């Protein structure tokens, strides 16, 4: 996955991550059944709290 967090942006990190995952799905890089990296892996790669990643993924799931 090619996700980046813009630390200078006023957009919250969780929202940036959520939109980046959504974009990966929309362009076909993530397909139904593909496994996502774990929250711990993503948080380490993006240098953000695991709770930030958790919120982003939770919102994606609840939004459908």
């Amino acid at each position: 996955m090619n996700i980046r967090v813009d630390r200078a942006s006023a957009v919250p990190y969780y929202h940036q991550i959520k939109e980046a995952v959504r974009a990966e799905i929309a362009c076909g890089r993530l397909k139904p059944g593909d496994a996502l990296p774990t929250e711990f892996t993503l948080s380490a790669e993006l240098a953000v709290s695991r709770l930030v990643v958790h919120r982003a993924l939770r919102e994606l799931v609840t939004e459908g």
Side-chain angles (χ1 to χ4, degrees):
M1 288 186 17
N2 188 21
I3 297 177
R4 300 284 179 247
V5 174
D6 180 359
R7 299 193 185 291
S9 175
V11 178
Y13 296 161
Y14 78 90
H15 190 73
Q16 292 181 48
I17 295 167
K18 178 176 73 171
E19 292 306 314
V21 172
R22 185 173 289 159
E24 294 279 318
I25 293 167
C27 76
R29 279 184 281 231
L30 275 177
K31 296 172 182 59
D34 284 352
L36 292 173
T38 66
E39 290 177 4
F40 289 107
T41 301
L42 275 176
S43 66
E45 288 176 2
L46 300 174
V48 297
S49 164
R50 186 193 60 82
L51 295 175
V52 170
V53 174
H54 178 79
R55 181 170 178 183
L57 298 178
R58 184 185 70 219
E59 287 193 10
L60 274 173
V61 169
T62 59
E63 291 173 6

